[in-house]
């Protein structure tokens, strides 16, 4: 055993969130390489994960620990898919989140207490899970190497600003293409122009949509730039008294948000419906 490595048994080994993320990234890449021929991976893939975790975190990890962890992930995946199929639950594909109203949430948690961690909360690394323990295949973004993934920015603020910048560029480019397409083809017959040209009403709709996307992009950049505006946060929280929440409840939620900057930024970025879902979930955990 290498010096500095802590020897632990399989039962003692604790999977920290960074270890979990490392495992999923490597196995998603292994699936892309064809090392997941059926419902499980080749032994070499588990060995690669164990070696990387040992090197990164200084705790000796064996391939058997990785294999045991896969059983946990399969159970988690099965639970998520079961909930998604139930009546009363929705799915936000952008946030990778199972959504439900407060009544449905309470009924589900009363029946299955452990399901609370999957409701109205983003399921981290859902796409990787779909490849590692689901039936999805590795395509698109997973053609990147593990090294590429490790060097991509993981800071939430940087990612949001990157997305916002690309939204702005995409809006400008689409707007440019729309204008160009509507002004070309002067030699085409009038009948074909009438068939393919964009009406004034359609152009107006596209312009409005473009403006709205720009506003969203700017808002995302502002939310994730600089310190959290706690005055704005307080006002957002307290406006929810109109939804029937007591001032004491909202004060507790505000204190929690002040202590968790990332959660506060997410709260500010949500619309009114999602803020209400978050608050219901938070208050339920305080009972």
């Amino acid at each position: 055993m290498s010096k500095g490595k802590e020897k632990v048994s399989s039962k003692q080994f604790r999977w920290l969130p960074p270890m979990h993320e490392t495992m999923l990234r490597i196995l998603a890449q292994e699936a892309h390489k064809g090392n997941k021929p059926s419902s499980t991976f080749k032994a070499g893939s588990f060995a690669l994960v164990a070696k990387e975790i040992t090197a990164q975190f200084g705790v000796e990890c064996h391939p058997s620990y990785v294999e045991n962890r896969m059983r946990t992930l399969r159970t988690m995946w099965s639970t998520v898919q079961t909930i998604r199929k139930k009546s009363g639950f929705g799915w936000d594909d952008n946030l990778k989140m199972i959504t439900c109203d407060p009544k449905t949430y309470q009924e589900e948690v009363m029946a299955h207490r452990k399901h609370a961690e999957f409701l109205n909360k983003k399921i981290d690394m859902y796409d990787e899970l779909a490849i590692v323990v689901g039936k999805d295949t590795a395509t698109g973004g997973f053609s990147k190497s593990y090294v590429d993934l490790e060097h991509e920015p993981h800071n939430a603020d940087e990612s949001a600003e990157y997305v916002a910048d690309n939204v702005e560029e995409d809006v400008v480019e689409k707007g440019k293409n729309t204008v160009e397409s509507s002004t070309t083809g002067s030699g085409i017959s009038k009948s074909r122009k009438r068939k393919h040209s964009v009406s004034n009403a359609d152009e107006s709709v596209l312009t409005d949509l473009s403006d709205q996307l720009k506003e969203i992009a700017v808002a995302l950049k502002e939310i994730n730039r600089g310190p959290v505006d706690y005055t704005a946060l307080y006002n957002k929280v307290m406006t929810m008294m109109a939804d029937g929440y007591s001032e004491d409840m909202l004060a507790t939620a505000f204190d929690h948000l002040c202590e968790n900057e990332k959660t506060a930024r997410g709260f500010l970025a949500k619309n009114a419906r999602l803020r209400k879902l978050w608050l219901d979930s938070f208050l339920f955990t305080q009972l």
Side-chain angles (χ1 to χ4, degrees), residues 69-80:
R69 181 64 177 175
M70 283 289 292
R71 296 189 184 99
T72 301
L73 294 181
R74 290 191 187 99
T75 300
M76 171 185 170
W77 180 258
S78 176
T79 300
V80 169

Side-chain angles (χ1 to χ4, degrees), residues 10 20 49 98 116 162 191 199 255 261 270 279:
S10 177
H20 171 82
V49 173
I98 298 173
Y162 172 80
S191 61
S199 68
D255 290 341
E261 185 174 324
K270 288 178 171 63
L279 184 58

